[in-house]
Amino acid sequence: TDLHLGLMRYTDIQGTVWYDQSGTIEPLLGAQVELLDQSGISLQNTVTLEDGTYTFTRLLPGIFEIQVTVPEGHVVVEADDMRLEDGTLRSIMLYVNRRNGSTGQFELRMGDDLSGMDIGSVTPGMLGDLLFLDVNGNGLQDTDELGIPNVTIHLLRDGQEITSTVTDQYGFYRFTDLYPSQYVLYPTLPSEVIPTVHRDDYEGINSVLEEDGYSIPVSVYSGAKNYDADMGAVLVTKGQYPAGYGEGETQKWN
């Protein structure tokens, strides 16, 4: 009597690592996925194959954490990424630092197999164009209108400045290695100019600046370049130009 037999059932964790390739969702090859216990000790690790899948098997109940390192050139999807809003895509990473991500600790119960533990990634994008002097004030960059050099451009995301750059001698600016998201541009305009009128009927040559000096939201896409963010300014006083305007060296295209 009083002879008892205890049984345990193993549990599995499965998921897919995916990435956004300019709007197309593809499986990600070569992502390193690691399973840690409550003390941070590594229990299992694997590398995703061509189908992007990973599996941890024969697990007993306990507290675990999943960490990922995606290949060079990729960035782990942030927890509040807009790609996850409609529920079509999923990413379990709560803590993200560029190529690395972590779920934080979670409880795994006996027999509670976890599938669909997907992890998302994106590739950084670029943003840029020309800060131009809108001579005729029509809100569009015309062929004879030049750029304004040496102007600091601030890049904001969710109301916080991420980085800044300075327009070159021709008025061009560019931001690289940006997380795909929406941004706002804010140029520190010289005193000789103010933002031109904002129009939205000629995308690509219209100024994205509004009257308050901030741009409308501009998008950076995964693995893509957005070079359609012109910013236009008009003279405060006719004939009084910003320093360096029209003085850039002649470009030799041959």
Side-chain angles (χ1 to χ4, degrees):
T1 60
D2 297 326
L3 297 178
H4 301 287
L5 176 64
L7 299 177
M8 300 285 286
R9 178 185 171 189
Y10 288 119
T11 301
D12 294 343
I13 296 176
Q14 299 175 336
T16 299
V17 182
W18 55 266
Y19 75 103
D20 181 351
Q21 177 59 39
S22 301
T24 301
I25 305 304
E26 302 283 354
L28 183 60
L29 169 69
Q32 300 176 24
V33 190
E34 186 173 17
L35 182 70
L36 292 78
D37 68 9
Q38 188 172 6
S39 301
I41 297 175
S42 178
L43 301 176
Q44 298 182 35
N45 59 76
T46 186
V47 177
T48 57
L49 300 178
E50 291 186 359
D51 62 357
T53 58
Y54 73 92
T55 304
F56 298 123
T57 61
R58 298 179 63 82
L59 301 174
L60 295 176
I63 303 297
F64 298 94
E65 177 182 355
I66 296 175
Q67 294 183 354
V68 67
T69 299
V70 294
E72 188 74 36
H74 293 260
V75 178
V76 179
V77 163
E78 297 174 357
D80 59 351
D81 190 281
M82 59 184 178
R83 296 164 186 78
L84 310 177
E85 291 180 354
D86 64 1
T88 303
L89 294 173
R90 185 184 184 194
S91 183
I92 61 173
M93 294 293 110
L94 296 181
Y95 308 101
V96 174
N97 182 14
R98 300 294 292 178
R99 292 176 56 204
N100 302 305
S102 168
T103 60
Q105 294 187 343
F106 61 91
E107 182 180 5
L108 185 64
R109 299 182 179 181
M110 189 190 312
D112 187 12
D113 291 337
L114 296 180
S115 60
M117 298 290 279
D118 298 340
I119 301 169
S121 71
V122 291
T123 51
M126 298 184 184
L127 175 65
D129 212 328
L130 179 71
L131 174 61
F132 67 95
L133 183 62
D134 189 12
V135 177
N136 59 13
N138 67 351
L140 304 176
Q141 181 203 344
D142 297 304
T143 56
D144 58 344
E145 293 175 339
L146 305 178
I148 305 174
N150 304 317
V151 176
T152 299
I153 310 293
H154 306 274
L155 186 68
L156 288 72
R157 183 182 177 201
D158 298 327
Q160 301 295 320
E161 181 170 340
I162 302 300
T163 187
S164 64
T165 190
V166 177
T167 58
D168 66 12
Q169 60 180 322
Y170 309 107
F172 290 103
Y173 73 94
R174 183 174 64 171
F175 294 101
T176 62
D177 197 31
L178 295 178
Y179 184 87
S181 184
Q182 284 196 325
Y183 294 87
V184 169
L185 298 159
Y186 176 70
T188 305
L189 295 174
S191 59
E192 293 84 359
V193 297
I194 58 175
T196 189
V197 61
H198 172 66
R199 297 174 56 171
D200 57 8
D201 51 345
Y202 288 94
E203 185 176 354
I205 61 172
N206 65 301
S207 173
V208 298
L209 287 183
E210 298 189 291
E211 291 182 3
D212 60 2
Y214 291 85
S215 77
I216 61 174
V218 291
S219 296
V220 174
Y221 300 99
S222 179
K225 304 172 183 178
N226 180 357
Y227 288 161
D228 290 326
D230 282 307
M231 293 181 285
V234 293
L235 293 175
V236 174
T237 303
K238 186 176 181 180
Q240 295 185 10
Y241 295 92
Y245 176 74
E247 298 176 3
E249 297 178 4
T250 301
Q251 293 174 299
K252 297 180 181 180
W253 295 101
N254 61 347

